[in-house]
Amino acid sequence: MPANTTASSPKKKKGRRARLLVILLVLALLGGIGYGGYWGVSAVRASFPQTTGTIEIPGLSGQVEVKRDDYGIPQIYADSDNDLFRAQGFVHAQDRFWEMDVRRHMTSGRLSEMFGSDLVETDSFLRTLGFRQVAQQEYDEKLEPDTKKFLKSYADGVNAYLQGKGGKDLSFEYAALAFTNDYKPEPWTPVDSVAWLKAMAWDLRGNMQEEIDRSLLTSRLDEKQIKDLYPPYRVENKPIMENGAVDPATKKFDPEAEPRGDIREDENGDENGNGNGNGNDGNDGTDGNGGDVGNGAQSEDSGDGSTEGTLGHDAGGTPAEGTDGAPADATDATEGLNSQLAAVSESLDSIPALLGPNGNGLGSNSWVVSGKYTTTNKPLLANDPHLAPQLPSLWYQMGLHCRKVSDACTFQTAGYTFSGMPGVVIGHNQDIAWGFTNLGADVTDLYLEKLSGNSYQVGDEQKELITRKEVIKVAGGESKTITVRQTGHGPLISDRSSELEKVGQKAPVPDDVPAPDRATGYGIALRWTALDAGKSMDAVFDLNRAKDFKTFRAAAKDFEVPSQNLIYADAEGKIGYQAPGKIPVRKKGDGSVPALGWDPDYDWERDPVPFDEMPYEEDPERGYIVTANQAVIDPDKYKYLLTKDYGYGARSQRINNLIESKIKDGGKISTEDMRTMQMDNTSEIAKILTPLLLKIDISDPYVREAQKLLETWDYSQEPDSAAAAYFNGVWRHVLKLAFGNKLPKEMRVEGDCLSVRPADSTAPLDELERVIECGQRDADSAQPDGGDRWFEVVRKIVNDEKNSWWRSPASRNDKATDTRDELFARAMEDARWELTAELGKDISSWSWGRLHQLTLKNQTLGTDGPGFLQYLLNRGPWNLGGGEATVNATGWNAAAGYEVVWVPSMRMVVNVGDWDKSRWINLSGASGHAYSAHYTDQTDKWANGELLDWSFSPNAVETNTVDTLTLTPKAGP
């Protein structure tokens, strides 16, 4: 029976005429291509969702209402859980099915089915990881029956929307895709939803890139120099928890206990989690000379534990031994490892980063303030996850309401959802509110495996590789079959690069024993907790229904991957924190570098860190909790190693300082104060460097003119600030001169070519013939990225004016530098001329926002499609304030330029208990349909730091409802 479509509500946003004009322009453009106006009308308009009237859906047991506000944000009302999630699936598909479809093809390694042969290598890597297989295992073996019912209902709702619709009826992108292939969407399945959590875990996987980079650095830097670039965590930047320890008697974490110092070896004779990286390594720099910083004599271990488990050497610098006691061939093994790691790093760059570039800058802010310090006398909770900018936004705002909470209908929750997955990820229900930031736990290890034919070495034995065939279907081409190989540690991800043919020439294995599938001798296997089936999907639903801190913690226990910091507040006035996650305990090594796969001593223990021993706290005496990717607890004083690669705490400490300044002398924090804190643009590195930059005697009048901009600057990176533009230009060039030009090509930005000495050369410098090496790293992940790790690197040496990191070689126009001030002066000159080229000679016209721009791009056809299609699908640019490691974290990669590469993907401030006074905003809008009124209708407000009202109660929702869609059970068979 056809839908009973009624006219749209007269209460609509202004701008319909403008949208119609845009559509007419689109039609003209499409018509000019030669396909006619009719194609254009159907492509642009046919997929817009019905938001009023009545639609029949099979499987519903009762009537469901979908109430949308002026921004198209839906609130769903039902009388049963299954109806609620069936409707959620239907509504997600109405607004976001293209995004959902692409996402499931990504998680299952099937992008080539949609986009053709260019994605075969990406699919090969994704098939090797095996997201889909693990998701299927979770669904079959791990998830609770109720969870499976909810997933099934959600899938049924998606499929109800798909029924009878062709590509152009689903999304403009399908109409465009139809010109190149005959792809047709297939039905949604519950496992498609479960697999999304694996993609989320992949982008938040922890220190895998740092593990690769530390090893790649060995081709250019010695052990001491590498330690300089990975300094220990600065404990002056407060960890999340100031107290707490595992009680030796109860084997449970006690949040009130006094930390006891470094207890790992005392309580763990097997040295679980050794090497925490918090020794004092002093302020020494490098042993090289300018651009020739390189492999000098190794300095003594400084106590930070970072060398344990290093391939080819143990912590003392002696040759590592194999299991038979014979010294390993360290040189050949290291060369083989670095060749493979470079190829793996290249493969990582090709994987779609749904959440953002994986690196030190990626993170989030969340904090909660107790009612004793708020104007509402109830807790206030803020959250803004920092993820990749994309269009549509990763998040979809939604409310899920049972008309009456009962055994049949158990949900009353609202917040941010993922299209393609049921439930609410971040938000609140009628009793509690919660937020997420990335804990950054080290849940991955790379293992160098010794391969021989179809086997790999474990101790003195050879074990047979586990293999499976994968067939990759290709739109417009022939299918490709690959072989996925796996050791006991995990899949051999190194098999997925043609560069690995070089490895066999370097790895010490017999010539007559070639390993199959391109790799010879050595391979890189990935051990990752997310490749073990878990119960994270159960946790989502349990979190949505939690009523108090006890049930909140019970839900968190099952949130195994990705490991997140969870903050909490409830209507009774309590606040809290829980660190969940499946975090490995290593028998040996610290996870900072690839481990020796043939040595069982480097395996993980069978059981991860017990949940009962994970840090948590409830109602801390200080009255607030801040999580912003800093250390959870003083790493020296906790029983287990969670990671060596926390964020360094620049954002978290700034938030702590802002809260403390507000509540001192009896002050109170309001909802507006929380919003203002989220938009804080202060640069912490500018506070350190600007006074030093102003002391430098600059003779060039044009450079001096720019230097004067810094004299009255307050370190705030506002979009209209010329001083912020110049400072960030100087910072970028300081990093390039002091560090970037000394990194191996595998870490420098693609196309950055330098004249350097040959890698690993031991010849005297004056006898070397220099070579031209060009950077190979994707712009979003190149180094130095300028994140707060680099803040700490520079902070530790900035008072050592003759530190050898300040040495840089002469160029055609510049003298060599030997001191800090000489390098700073050169960076100031380079920045002046770069900004002149970018912004013009007149510094009065400069602004940070003109350099620091955000363009929202459709993540498929908007990035790699034809130019005209990118024009139709993408939006922007927006001139933004904020910056790297700033509370308003509009991140940019200093190695590549100033473009915004991650953002606060949403912002919320929850007024706990008085829910209708909460505020929220999304990066884009509710709709994924280009030219919908709700495609980017929140972005201007987001860029300006504004928040929208967030209705929750039935009366508030009804007051703000613009369109009501009624879903009814479908009559008949």
Side-chain angles (χ1 to χ4, degrees), residues 757-778:
R757 62 174 180 79
D760 298 315
S761 174
T762 58
L765 292 178
D766 57 359
E767 296 180 12
L768 286 179
E769 292 186 9
R770 301 179 75 86
V771 297
I772 300 296
E773 281 190 353
C774 294
Q776 300 175 351
R777 182 70 61 85
D778 182 80

Side-chain angles (χ1 to χ4, degrees), residues 377-571:
N377 297 317
K378 289 290 183 73
L380 294 174
L381 185 150
N383 196 189
D384 55 290
H386 307 154
L387 307 172
Q390 54 187 276
L391 186 60
S393 166
L394 181 81
W395 301 106
Y396 186 91
Q397 296 149 289
M398 178 178 275
L400 300 174
H401 305 277
C402 290
R403 293 189 180 97
K404 181 180 180 181
V405 176
S406 63
D407 290 342
C409 199
T410 58
F411 290 86
Q412 191 70 258
T413 185
Y416 294 87
T417 70
F418 290 142
S419 55
M421 197 180 91
V424 170
V425 179
I426 294 175
H428 70 81
N429 59 30
Q430 71 273 37
D431 297 309
I432 76 164
W434 67 93
F436 284 6
T437 63
N438 193 24
L439 193 153
D442 186 358
V443 295
T444 61
D445 273 342
L446 297 174
Y447 284 88
L448 183 68
E449 306 282 11
K450 287 185 177 180
L451 306 176
S452 179
N454 292 318
S455 65
Y456 64 101
Q457 183 175 331
V458 179
D460 295 326
E461 301 177 2
Q462 291 289 320
K463 290 193 174 183
E464 187 173 352
L465 290 164
I466 301 168
T467 63
R468 70 176 188 270
K469 298 289 186 181
E470 294 276 353
V471 178
I472 299 173
K473 297 180 181 180
V474 182
E478 295 183 359
S479 298
K480 177 180 179 180
T481 300
I482 65 169
T483 299
V484 176
R485 303 189 300 165
Q486 184 170 324
T487 73
H489 295 119
L492 283 166
I493 59 175
S494 55
D495 282 356
R496 303 278 73 91
S497 172
S498 58
E499 290 295 314
L500 300 180
E501 294 175 359
K502 304 174 185 176
V503 176
Q505 302 170 7
K506 300 181 180 180
V509 296
D511 294 335
D512 58 348
V513 188
D517 208 4
R518 294 186 294 175
T520 306
Y522 283 116
I524 301 289
L526 171 65
R527 182 78 172 97
W528 180 30
T529 57
L531 297 183
D532 300 327
K535 294 167 65 67
S536 293
M537 199 70 237
D538 287 341
V540 172
F541 296 115
D542 290 342
L543 194 58
N544 286 191
R545 294 180 292 192
K547 295 182 177 298
D548 51 31
F549 193 59
K550 181 179 179 180
T551 51
F552 168 81
R553 292 194 66 216
K557 183 176 182 179
D558 285 337
F559 206 95
E560 297 171 330
V561 292
S563 185
Q564 299 288 287
N565 296 305
L566 270 63
I567 59 166
Y568 166 93
D570 64 36

Side-chain angles (χ1 to χ4, degrees), residues 69-117:
D69 69 8
D70 213 28
Y71 287 86
I73 299 170
Q75 306 285 336
I76 301 176
Y77 289 85
D79 294 315
S80 73
D81 290 338
N82 288 331
D83 282 359
L84 194 62
F85 292 118
R86 187 173 273 103
Q88 186 182 22
F90 185 90
V91 172
H92 271 165
Q94 277 190 305
D95 279 331
R96 298 284 191 94
F97 185 73
W98 169 263
E99 175 193 14
M100 295 164 60
D101 200 16
V102 171
R103 184 174 295 157
R104 68 166 163 177
H105 279 76
M106 193 280 285
T107 58
S108 58
R110 297 172 53 201
L111 291 167
S112 300
E113 294 180 22
M114 298 182 74
F115 304 110
S117 58

